[in-house]
């Protein structure tokens, strides 16, 4: 057992000793790529704490010929597949944890050289007659082994992009690193003869130069396009339901806090580390604020790009923003516009992405809380005030304080919009959800909920174990708040929500675009309890 060559199965054994969700179906996919050009090279990028290292350790345990992992996989999905016996513990594995290696070197400028030297030393011990004395190139060493022994390797690289993230300003070092990867994976006879399969995982997709990938032979799966690996991005809804049943956790709360990543082939994907943290601690809260990417969130969202602040505020207000992800260079320095920043946030997991509509959005309450914490440290004073006053607004609504509600909505509406878009319907919708930001803790909020004879503009459905009343919010433009209440009664929207904790509030809000701004009478409100 070595650090780099055949690391064994201890890592996966430790994972199996805990509460484990079966993700061994990923092995079946990698098995389908073994010795098949060009599919043998797989890159699967996901956010921090989405199970990347767990998957890498699982693959090491399965392929590593230096250990016997049969009992670790008994009863798991892969053990039922035809390919299970074919490749179980049949290969020499090279495992590279780039984050760990970066933490051990004294001179980062030497990391590419030191990394190759370290791996070659272990290879010499195992294949002493196959590597030339002066060989210092890892691709060269592997080629020599393949030529003289016929052995092929499985190469697994964890956090492959850590060098790009931690030495983000050293482009010469990054190019040297890319050249090493190209030497290993450039295709043709060298790759065909030395590598049976490769699996790389990291936060970012493979670096682009212009419009081309630096490693063109890899099959890439990302947070934007996970395709057939969607089930392995995070936890599926059925997996989370089962976990909640096993640990006596509230599934509805788990869904509110950690669901929200949605793909064409799967409507609900959950953040794995957050779900497990909630189970261990028996607390539903944000577990993202201690990650390294959170420390950079403020810097990303306050970049001086046209439209970026408006986009962040709109998404905090529950809206979706169209994003062009095609120009992103897959690094954390090459930003040309707001779309590049938003695309980075998609790969970091701070935004979810709707591939069909090309829209980004904040996926769940946990991530919204992370944004809220990041915004506190900016000069976005109006946004901060709307967020911090949200609990007061909710209480004012429940207590029937129409003046306070009107004033809060006025501020939120101004915060959500530029002067050109102030009268846009989406801006008022953003204002409603930004102002009632805290309500997400207590309610499921539906826009245009089918009810009675039509659709209620907003329905606030209380979550389980809360004493809050149900609420219907109806919006009017250049009419009156009373007419909004009348519409609720006339169309019997309230019938859909009766029976929630014995209380139902009807909230009519009118926006008068012709009112004088200085008079702060753009918004008026009427609240009725039934």
């Amino acid at each position: 057992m070595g650090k780099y060559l055949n690391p064994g199965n201890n890592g996966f054994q430790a994972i199996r000793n805990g509460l484990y969700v079966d993700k061994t179906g990923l092995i079946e996919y990698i098995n389908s790529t073994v010795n098949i050009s060009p599919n043998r090279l797989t890159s699967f990028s996901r956010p921090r704490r989405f199970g990347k290292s767990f998957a890498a350790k699982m693959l090491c345990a399965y392929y590593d010929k230096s250990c016997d992992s049969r009992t670790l996989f008994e009863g798991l999905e892969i053990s039922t597949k035809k390919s299970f016996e074919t490749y179980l513990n049949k290969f020499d594995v090279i495992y590279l944890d780039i984050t760990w290696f970066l933490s051990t070197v004294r001179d980062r400028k030497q990391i590419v050289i030191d990394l190759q030297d370290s791996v070659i030393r272990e290879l010499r011990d195992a294949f002493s007659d196959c590597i030339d004395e002066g060989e210092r190139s890892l691709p060269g060493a592997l080629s020599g082994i393949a030529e003289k022994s016929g052995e092929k390797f499985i190469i697994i690289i964890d956090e492959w992009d850590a060098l790009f993230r931690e030495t983000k300003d050293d482009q010469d070092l990054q190019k040297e690193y890319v050249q090493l990867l190209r030497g290993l994976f450039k295709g043709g006879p060298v790759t065909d003869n030395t590598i049976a399969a490769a699996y790389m995982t990291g936060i970012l997709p493979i670096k682009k130069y212009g419009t081309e990938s630096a490693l063109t032979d890899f099959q890439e799966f990302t947070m934007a396009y996970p395709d057939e690996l969607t089930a392995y991005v995070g936890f599926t809804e059925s997996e989370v339901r089962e976990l909640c049943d096993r640990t006596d956790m509230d599934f509805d709360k788990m869904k509110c806090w950690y669901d929200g990543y949605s793909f064409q082939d799967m409507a609900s994907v959950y953040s794995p580390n957050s779900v497990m943290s909630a189970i261990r601690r028996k607390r539903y809260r944000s577990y993202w604020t201690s990650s390294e990417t959170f420390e950079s969130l403020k810097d990303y969202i306050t970049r001086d790009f046209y439209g970026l602040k408006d986009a962040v505020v709109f998404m905090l207000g529950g809206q979706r923003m169209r994003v062009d992800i095609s120009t992103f260079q897959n690094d954390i320095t090459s930003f040309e516009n707001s779309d590049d920043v938003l695309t980075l946030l998609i790969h970091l997991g701070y935004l979810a992405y709707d591939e069909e509509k090309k829209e980004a959005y904040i996926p769940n309450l946990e991530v919204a809380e992370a944004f809220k914490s990041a915004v506190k440290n900016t000069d976005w004073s109006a946004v901060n005030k709307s967020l911090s006053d949200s609990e007061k607004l909710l209480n004012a609504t429940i207590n029937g304080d129409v003046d306070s509600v009107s004033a809060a909505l006025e501020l939120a509406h101004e915060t959500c919009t530029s002067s050109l878009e102030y009268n846009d319907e989406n801006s008022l919708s953003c204002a409603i959800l930004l102002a009632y930001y805290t309500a997400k803790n207590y309610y499921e909020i539906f826009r245009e909920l089918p009810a009675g004879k039509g659709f209620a503009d907003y329905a606030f459905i209380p979550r389980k174990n809360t004493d809050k009343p149900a609420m219907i919010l109806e919006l009017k433009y250049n009419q009156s708040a009373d007419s909004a209440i009348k519409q609720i009664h006339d169309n019997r929207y309230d019938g859909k929500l009766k029976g929630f904790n014995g209380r139902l509030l009807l909230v009519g809000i009118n926006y008068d675009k012709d009112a004088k701004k200085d008079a702060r009478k753009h918004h008026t409100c009427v609240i009725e309890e039934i």
Side-chain angles (χ1 to χ4, degrees), residues 226-362:
D227 299 329
E228 58 260 57
L229 298 189
T230 298
Y232 309 107
V233 169
F235 287 165
T236 66
E237 184 139 301
S238 60
E239 290 167 346
V240 174
R241 281 187 182 277
E242 183 180 353
L243 282 171
C244 289
D245 289 342
R246 290 165 61 186
T247 58
D248 196 28
M249 296 292 286
D250 187 323
F251 171 75
D252 290 334
K253 286 185 178 179
M254 201 73 84
K255 184 175 182 65
C256 171
W257 275 92
Y258 310 119
D259 185 17
Y261 301 93
S262 181
F263 306 97
Q264 283 191 342
D265 300 326
M266 191 163 292
S268 290
V269 172
Y270 293 66
S271 169
N273 179 75
S274 301
V275 170
M276 288 300 197
S277 295
I279 290 172
R280 283 194 302 270
R281 302 189 185 195
K282 303 297 181 184
R283 294 287 184 275
Y284 305 94
R285 62 181 180 225
S286 178
Y287 293 100
W288 280 48
T289 53
S290 59
S291 72
E292 70 178 45
T293 54
F294 172 76
E295 300 303 322
S296 302
L297 182 58
K298 171 194 166 185
D299 175 57
Y300 295 140
I301 65 177
T302 55
R303 295 269 172 153
D304 188 22
F305 289 118
Y306 176 77
L308 180 57
K309 179 180 177 181
D310 286 345
V312 171
V313 172
F314 260 60
M315 286 186 287
L316 275 169
Q319 304 296 313
R320 295 185 172 212
M321 298 300 300
R322 191 168 179 85
V323 178
D324 178 4
I325 67 173
S326 65
T327 62
F328 182 54
Q329 295 300 296
N330 298 346
D331 62 33
I332 59 176
T333 57
S334 305
F335 301 122
E336 297 295 332
N337 50 51
S338 62
D339 281 346
D340 287 345
V341 177
L342 297 178
T343 304
L344 173 62
L345 295 180
I346 291 169
H347 291 298
L348 295 179
Y350 284 103
L351 296 177
Y353 181 68
D354 185 326
E355 177 185 348
E356 183 177 357
K357 295 181 179 179
K358 313 298 183 188
E359 292 175 340
Y361 58 96
I362 295 175

Side-chain angles (χ1 to χ4, degrees), residues 98-115 162-168 170 172-174 176-177 292:
I98 304 301
T99 297
W100 178 84
F101 198 85
L102 277 166
S103 70
T104 65
V105 296
R106 294 182 179 179
D107 183 359
R108 288 190 170 184
K109 290 187 177 297
Q110 294 294 312
I111 184 174
V112 177
I113 294 172
D114 290 347
L115 179 63
L163 186 142
F164 284 92
R165 291 184 277 114
E166 297 193 24
T167 64
K168 58 184 179 181
D170 194 336
D172 289 338
L173 179 59
Q174 293 174 18
E176 184 183 2
Y177 178 54
E292 70 178 45

Side-chain angles (χ1 to χ4, degrees), residues 384-395:
N384 278 316
K385 182 167 177 54
S386 287
L387 293 174
S388 62
D389 287 352
S390 179
E391 188 79 22
K392 295 178 182 177
L393 170 62
L394 180 59
N395 289 332

